[in-house]
Amino acid sequence: MSKRVVVVGGGISGMQTALSLKSLGFEPLILEQSRQLGGKVADWHLLFPSFTPAEEVTVPLIRAVRQNGILVRLGCKVVSIESRRVILCSGERIDCDAVVLCSGSTLFDATIKEEYGYGIYDNVYTSADIEKMMNNECVATASGAAPERIAILHCVGSRDEKVCQRHCSKVCCITGVKQAIELKKLFPKAEIFNFYMDIRMFGPGYEELYRQAQIDYNIHFVRGRISEASPLMDGRVQIKAEDTLTGRPLRMSVDMLVLMIGMRANDDNAFLSSSSGAELAPNGFFKSRNSFVDNVLSTKDGIFLAGTVSSPKTIGQSLNEATTVAHRVAEYLNYGN
Amino acid sequence: MFYSHFCIPFIVGTVILFVTILYRYVMWIADLPKSDKRLIVKGLFTTATLRSIWETIRESLLHVSIFKRNALLGYMHCSLAFGWFLLIVVGWIETTAYMGAEFVPLQGHVFFRYFAIGIDNHIVTFDHIMDALLLFVLSGVALAWFKRLKSKHLGMRKTTKHTIGDRIALSFLWFIFPTRLVAESITAAVYGGGGFVTANIGAALNNILPASLLTGAFEPIWWIYSCALGGFFIAMPHSRYMHIFTEVPLIFLRNYRLRVRQSQSSYDNFQVQACSRCGICIDACQLQSQLGHNNVQSVYFLRDRRANSLNMNVASDCLMCGRCADRCPVGIDLNSLRLNSRAAMRNMPNERRYNYFNALDRSTGEGKVGYFAGCMTMLTPHTLTAMQTIFTAAGEDVWWADRDGGVCCGRPLRLTGETDSANKMVQYNTALFRKHGITTLVTSCPICLKTFREDYNLEGIEILHHSQYILRLINSGKISLQHSDNKTFTYHDPCELGRGNGIYDEPRSVITAIGTLIEPKHHHRDSLCCGSSLANTVISDSEQITISSSLTLELEATGAKTLVTACPLCKKALGRTTQQKIVDLSEIVATNLNTKP
């Protein structure tokens, strides 16, 4: 009988992990707490830097999971993990030979940055809201009009000690550029401003897209964080910021304020860590055994990591880790440690 | 008659002590600003003098406020101060009883047992009284020794780390009374006499030791006693014991309404040197209890400032929460002293920085009530919308003072020591308030409130915190609230609102008008700081979070559904460390308004 590996999470990392494990002759079981597979990517519209529809990633993966007969249990939340056993919130125990954590991360709750007025004023959105609006083809201001001026604020809930999120969320810079271009395509007359601390264009084609945004789409980039937003009588939002390159404070009225929310560690990580003995990094993400050859191993034998459960990552990086982790699980189960 | 060579150390010490102290006091008073001198002259023949005498007895001798904190600790301080005082006074009466009103030099009173050997008609009562007093003081010394070992039993978690000068003076002090006991006992053993303590010890010594040894020890032991006194007196003005005398003029000057100023003045000398380094402030400090910062508390700040070795780090590492000042038994104005120390190091105004004031004022509108939300309230806009709802419901005419054209109240600059820049803000805002003719100024920020009350001259304008204002609206019937006992709240007293402005009851009255209030472990004057104070420019964000976490644990432990505070900064700080709902007072008012029929 082939060995069973529990994969916690049915996002893209979880699905790819399960597929790779299956092809190596193991019997993976995906435990997903929501009612569907696909994770966060399923809510996204187009993917950077190529503007590929997100469903081109999720749909083939979901189809492959079905075709390969991989066991999937939806709507079940894991409350405790030991190296050879997983306990669900129903109290059910599932024995297994190894566990791969693909439980991903959580999007930062923008209401915590109360000064931006998210959830208080109209016309303040998060990057995730914009993706949903794009999916539903209903991007507009609260009154249904086409925006004439849009501000996109980077680093909301990332690289921000004030909200206990010191780490860089990695993908928001390029997402800001991507959404700016998408919005510009939708509203060619709109002025679009990106407010940033640093622009980190680390991936292939990212820097090119950033240049294209400035040259071809005339999108403005202002180095400085927005300090506060307040509502105007006409429903627009007034923002205050400092252009740190010129050293001058500025005030601007915009029709839409879009907050690039970062990835933060799941709250569940705390008890998954304490029950399993796999350690967490100071930022709350799971800690890799090291950043090089063992980056998909947790600090506990038999518990593996893939995807954004260990740090913010792009889709490509997460999928690579999923393939890698399957091989490391195979080594562990076939040859012992 | 009243002289022997062993008196020399004592006489020399006493002369040096009084010359030093007198010289210092004369210089300090001469250096006082003219207006301070006028205050003294004005106050001299008023009840302030009588009040000061009474306060001196209560605090300098009896140490009533320390008794209130911990009875044993109070007894220790009282026995040393009041006991010694009585020894001197009763000693003088004793001498007078023997010698009549005749002049007796100082050493005659102090070493009376030595000089009384030849006198025939013994008044035994005095011997007993003096012995009892000596025992009283010795019990204090014993407690002081005990406190070194087990300070917890005297209500102190941590005690002061002393300087070398303090240790020297302390050693002399601890020597004085035991040597006096031994000297008087040996005297009783050799020459008879003595009270119920010294006579009995003397008799016991006679039994144990050979008479020749006792006779031989007689002169040397009086020499040792005199040296201990003399040594202590010489060390005293250069140690923490300078407070013994300095607390007295401080009490008088304070009652004559002298105050610590924005910049350092000669009056600060009395404040700084009145610190006894008792260390009561250390336990109050959350930087100590939560973060283990050990060298920055008020006692160490004052020590460094006294020694002219104060550095920026010690001056700046303080939340200015006022918990130490609240407990200080001497009533030293700790926060103001720290502020003017910061100002002395950092007040370097940049004139060009405030050129933007010129084109700033775009304010319009009028209203009897001016609402100054405050910068931090702008960053917590739930409070803004709640206040708007309340103003509308009450039908109040409100002019929003800092929406179009107001600037920062200036207190954050003041807290970092940039007094001159802060004063620019004060001038600008004052002119703006006057221009719009408001009669009431309401603010949601206790930090602004404090500076409006203390640093602005807003005569004719009533300054209210929004908790006070909302309570007035409720009491006058302009708004009414839905009450339900099932709604449970706990309330965090912001430092600047509570200890800073003395506002404790109004927020509580507002909360109890809506639901049930459950007090956390520390509340009112004893409430904790949220850790995000603007006053501390040293601690890191993660250290702020450590402090905040300990506070949210206490608030959550009440089991109340909603955590309420009345300061935007506290709200932000607590929001970082709790998963529970944390709201400003105005928010619960706005959501529980009865809509008018």
Side-chain angles (χ1 to χ4, degrees):
Chain A
M1 190 186 148
S2 58
K3 289 182 173 170
R4 156 158 302 180
V5 181
V6 166
V7 177
V8 183
I12 54 150
S13 309
M15 290 189 289
Q16 182 59 53
T17 303
L19 286 167
S20 300
L21 284 166
K22 186 80 180 179
S23 69
L24 290 168
F26 298 100
E27 194 196 327
L29 164 64
I30 296 178
L31 302 177
E32 166 59 41
Q33 65 174 348
S34 76
R35 290 268 151 214
Q36 59 197 18
L37 291 173
K40 295 218 172 35
V41 179
D43 295 333
W44 234 244
H45 179 56
L46 300 178
L47 304 179
F48 60 77
S50 54
F51 297 94
T52 308
E55 56 200 36
E56 287 187 20
V57 175
T58 52
V59 172
L61 278 171
I62 295 170
R63 195 182 300 136
V65 166
R66 289 219 188 94
Q67 284 170 353
N68 283 283
I70 290 167
L71 291 171
V72 177
R73 293 185 55 179
L74 297 173
C76 64
K77 191 172 159 64
V78 175
V79 292
S80 175
I81 294 176
E82 293 146 27
S83 56
R84 300 177 70 83
R85 180 179 291 167
V86 169
I87 299 164
L88 305 182
C89 69
S90 59
E92 187 186 342
R93 287 151 188 273
I94 299 173
D95 290 325
C96 59
D97 298 290
V99 177
V100 185
L101 286 174
C102 299
S103 46
S105 55
T106 306
L107 287 175
F108 178 75
D109 176 7
T111 59
I112 292 171
K113 293 294 280 184
E114 199 181 327
E115 56 266 45
Y116 300 139
Y118 183 70
I120 307 175
Y121 319 137
D122 287 338
N123 293 319
V124 183
Y125 304 96
T126 66
S127 42
D129 294 338
I130 294 295
E131 294 294 332
K132 274 181 205 142
M133 289 159 90
M134 300 240 185
N135 272 332
N136 300 331
E137 295 178 0
C138 64
V139 187
T141 65
S143 59
E148 288 169 14
R149 191 186 279 162
I150 302 168
I152 295 176
L153 173 60
H154 291 232
C155 294
V156 176
S158 59
R159 301 181 72 200
D160 186 354
E161 281 200 81
K162 294 274 175 211
V163 291
C164 311
Q165 305 296 331
R166 288 188 185 185
H167 62 277
C168 168
S169 179
K170 201 167 183 176
V171 298
C172 336
C173 281
I174 182 66
T175 303
V177 172
K178 182 204 73 143
Q179 290 193 349
I181 293 176
E182 287 175 292
L183 289 166
K184 188 75 177 183
K185 284 178 183 167
L186 279 173
F187 310 108
K189 284 182 186 163
E191 279 185 294
I192 301 178
F193 295 86
N194 278 54
F195 290 87
Y196 67 95
M197 291 200 284
D198 295 295
I199 290 280
R200 297 181 165 182
M201 292 294 150
F202 61 94
Y206 295 8
E207 181 67 24
E208 291 84 338
L209 195 67
Y210 172 45
R211 282 179 64 81
Q212 215 185 335
Q214 296 170 78
I215 296 165
D216 298 343
Y217 294 96
N218 196 26
I219 290 159
H220 308 287
F221 286 82
V222 182
R223 188 176 180 278
R225 275 171 101 138
I226 296 174
S227 61
E228 62 185 82
S230 52
L232 293 167
M233 296 296 276
D234 57 9
R236 289 187 299 162
V237 179
Q238 187 186 65
I239 54 171
K240 286 183 190 166
E242 183 185 350
D243 184 339
T244 58
L245 294 182
T246 59
R248 292 187 65 82
L250 67 86
R251 215 192 308 231
M252 187 188 278
S253 301
V254 296
D255 300 294
M256 280 178 118
L257 171 62
V258 183
L259 309 174
M260 289 292 128
I261 48 176
M263 293 186 202
R264 69 172 186 86
N266 293 340
D267 291 331
D268 294 357
N269 287 2
F271 60 76
L272 292 183
S273 162
S274 58
S275 61
S276 65
E279 291 168 32
L280 298 182
N283 61 8
F285 287 88
F286 272 91
K287 191 172 169 183
S288 295
R289 197 165 297 181
N290 64 48
S291 315
F292 313 104
V293 289
D294 295 328
N295 59 347
V296 292
L297 271 59
S298 77
T299 59
K300 180 86 180 170
D301 284 341
I303 294 174
F304 297 82
L305 311 168
T308 60
V309 73
S310 55
S311 71
K313 288 183 187 80
T314 64
I315 292 171
Q317 288 168 332
S318 296
L319 293 174
N320 287 350
E321 281 196 354
T323 314
T324 310
V325 84
H327 286 273
R328 296 306 295 264
V329 172
E331 269 174 44
Y332 171 74
L333 292 181
N334 293 339
Y335 307 113
N337 197 20
Chain B
M1 175 190 175
F2 290 105
Y3 178 76
S4 172
H5 288 315
F6 82 86
C7 297
I8 292 171
F10 167 78
I11 294 168
V12 170
T14 313
V15 169
I16 291 177
L17 171 68
F18 281 104
V19 168
T20 313
I21 287 190
L22 217 66
Y23 173 75
R24 283 193 190 173
Y25 288 177
V26 168
M27 294 304 281
W28 292 348
I29 288 179
D31 282 347
L32 281 175
K34 272 204 177 117
S35 54
D36 279 359
K37 286 182 191 157
R38 272 200 295 275
L39 283 173
I40 298 174
V41 176
K42 253 196 195 162
L44 215 49
F45 300 103
T46 62
T47 51
T49 304
L50 294 176
R51 272 187 285 123
S52 304
I53 293 169
W54 177 230
E55 195 182 328
T56 304
I57 294 168
R58 278 171 57 93
E59 294 306 330
S60 299
L61 292 177
L62 300 176
H63 290 85
V64 174
S65 59
I66 304 185
F67 261 107
K68 282 180 188 161
R69 183 142 294 281
N70 182 293
L72 206 56
L73 192 67
Y75 175 80
M76 186 194 96
H77 284 89
C78 170
S79 62
L80 286 168
F82 191 50
W84 199 357
F85 174 77
L86 285 181
L87 270 180
I88 295 166
V89 172
V90 177
W92 179 81
I93 296 171
E94 183 187 22
T95 325
T96 316
Y98 280 106
M99 314 299 296
E102 180 189 336
F103 170 75
V104 176
L106 194 60
Q107 73 270 19
H109 305 286
V110 175
F111 304 119
F112 189 70
R113 286 275 172 93
Y114 179 92
F115 295 115
I117 291 167
I119 296 172
D120 300 328
N121 52 336
H122 252 287
I123 310 174
V124 187
T125 325
F126 271 117
D127 290 338
H128 289 321
I129 293 174
M130 289 298 278
D131 271 16
L133 288 175
L134 185 59
L135 212 56
F136 181 45
V137 179
L138 279 169
S139 68
V141 175
L143 271 175
W145 285 342
F146 179 65
K147 180 169 148 254
R148 289 279 124 185
L149 302 172
K150 301 256 182 211
S151 64
K152 256 194 189 143
H153 297 285
L154 279 85
M156 290 181 75
R157 194 170 47 81
K158 256 192 127 48
T159 55
T160 319
K161 269 186 295 179
H162 289 303
T163 58
I164 294 197
D166 284 347
R167 284 177 191 280
I168 292 170
L170 184 74
S171 308
F172 278 120
L173 178 63
W174 282 0
F175 246 91
I176 289 173
F177 299 100
T179 39
R180 176 170 176 154
L181 179 71
V182 175
E184 292 188 356
S185 299
I186 289 178
T187 307
V190 179
Y191 298 98
F196 67 100
V197 180
T198 45
N200 284 326
I201 296 178
L205 287 176
N206 259 336
N207 287 337
I208 305 163
L209 302 172
S212 59
L213 190 72
L214 288 172
T215 330
F218 173 69
E219 277 288 328
I221 191 70
W222 282 101
W223 268 96
I224 295 172
Y225 176 43
S226 170
C227 284
L229 279 170
F232 178 67
F233 289 161
I234 293 170
M236 195 173 129
H238 312 288
S239 74
R240 67 197 189 108
Y241 297 103
M242 183 68 184
H243 82 272
I244 296 175
F245 291 108
T246 313
E247 192 182 347
V248 181
L250 174 67
I251 289 171
F252 280 79
L253 296 179
R254 191 165 53 208
N255 284 328
Y256 296 148
R257 295 177 189 280
L258 271 67
R259 293 289 176 267
V260 176
R261 296 165 175 241
Q262 286 181 9
S263 54
Q264 299 183 354
S265 74
S266 182
Y267 172 58
D268 295 359
N269 288 314
F270 291 98
Q271 292 261 350
V272 171
Q273 308 242 5
C275 172
S276 65
R277 295 184 199 156
C278 65
I280 286 176
C281 54
I282 300 175
D283 281 353
C285 183
Q286 288 168 270
L287 295 176
Q288 204 295 314
S289 61
Q290 296 299 323
L291 305 180
H293 289 205
N294 276 326
N295 226 5
V296 299
Q297 284 70 31
S298 291
V299 53
Y300 300 120
F301 158 73
L302 292 175
R303 176 197 68 192
D304 290 356
R305 179 155 164 185
R306 216 180 122 175
N308 281 325
S309 64
L310 184 66
N311 64 40
M312 189 70 117
N313 191 60
V314 172
S316 302
D317 195 3
C318 172
L319 298 160
M320 300 233 175
C321 64
R323 282 170 58 80
C324 56
D326 182 58
R327 293 191 189 191
C328 178
V330 189
I332 300 173
D333 191 354
L334 298 166
N335 279 351
S336 304
L337 289 169
R338 212 182 269 259
L339 281 187
N340 69 26
S341 287
R342 289 180 184 182
M345 289 188 258
R346 196 148 45 182
N347 188 22
M348 288 164 283
N350 176 351
E351 293 298 329
R352 278 180 27 225
R353 199 163 84 189
Y354 300 103
N355 285 346
Y356 73 88
F357 278 12
N358 299 331
L360 201 63
D361 187 6
R362 299 189 296 165
S363 60
T364 51
E366 280 194 354
K368 289 282 165 220
V369 178
Y371 176 61
F372 191 96
C375 307
M376 282 308 298
T377 313
M378 297 289 186
L379 301 182
T380 51
H382 273 298
T383 308
L384 288 179
T385 48
M387 287 307 291
Q388 179 73 70
T389 310
I390 294 165
F391 290 140
T392 313
E396 289 275 284
D397 251 352
V398 178
W399 168 65
W400 288 63
D402 54 347
R403 185 178 272 169
D404 299 305
V407 296
C408 166
C409 68
R411 184 143 169 93
L413 283 164
R414 196 176 299 284
L415 288 172
T416 55
E418 297 201 39
T419 315
D420 289 357
S421 299
N423 289 339
K424 285 185 197 300
M425 306 288 180
V426 173
Q427 283 164 13
Y428 178 91
N429 280 327
T430 307
L432 188 72
F433 297 157
R434 295 285 181 211
K435 179 179 145 193
H436 288 268
I438 55 170
T439 54
T440 307
L441 178 63
V442 179
T443 177
S444 288
C445 178
I447 304 163
C448 303
L449 181 74
K450 187 160 174 75
T451 198
F452 286 154
R453 288 189 169 177
E454 290 178 3
D455 306 311
Y456 281 61
N457 179 12
L458 293 176
E459 234 178 275
I461 300 175
E462 193 181 20
I463 304 158
L464 297 175
H465 182 247
H466 73 339
S467 61
Q468 299 173 302
Y469 175 73
I470 289 169
L471 187 63
R472 278 196 197 179
L473 293 180
I474 297 170
N475 290 342
S476 64
K478 284 189 173 172
I479 57 171
S480 72
L481 301 172
Q482 298 162 350
H483 179 91
S484 157
D485 286 335
N486 296 329
K487 289 180 256 182
T488 51
F489 303 100
T490 187
Y491 175 67
H492 164 64
D493 283 287
C495 301
E496 297 268 43
L497 192 65
R499 284 180 296 270
N501 283 290
I503 297 172
Y504 299 103
D505 298 334
E506 289 90 339
R508 289 180 166 77
S509 304
V510 173
I511 291 171
T512 47
I514 298 168
T516 312
L517 173 66
I518 310 167
E519 294 283 2
K521 187 177 162 205
H522 292 87
H523 56 88
H524 285 86
R525 281 172 56 180
D526 201 26
S527 78
L528 296 170
C529 175
C530 70
S532 281
S533 164
L534 297 171
N536 194 315
T537 50
V538 174
I539 61 170
S540 67
D541 263 293
S542 47
E543 287 179 311
Q544 291 185 349
I545 286 163
T546 308
I547 295 175
S548 158
S549 304
S550 68
L551 171 56
T552 45
L553 279 180
E554 279 193 4
L555 296 173
E556 286 166 0
T558 58
K561 282 187 198 128
T562 313
L563 317 182
V564 184
T565 189
C567 167
L569 196 55
C570 293
K571 185 189 164 188
K572 269 222 165 277
L574 297 174
R576 296 159 81 178
T577 52
T578 183
Q579 300 293 324
Q580 246 180 290
K581 202 173 169 201
I582 164 89
V583 294
D584 184 82
L585 187 73
S586 59
E587 292 175 59
I588 59 167
V589 173
T591 49
N592 289 287
L593 278 173
N594 266 330
T595 37
K596 279 185 185 160

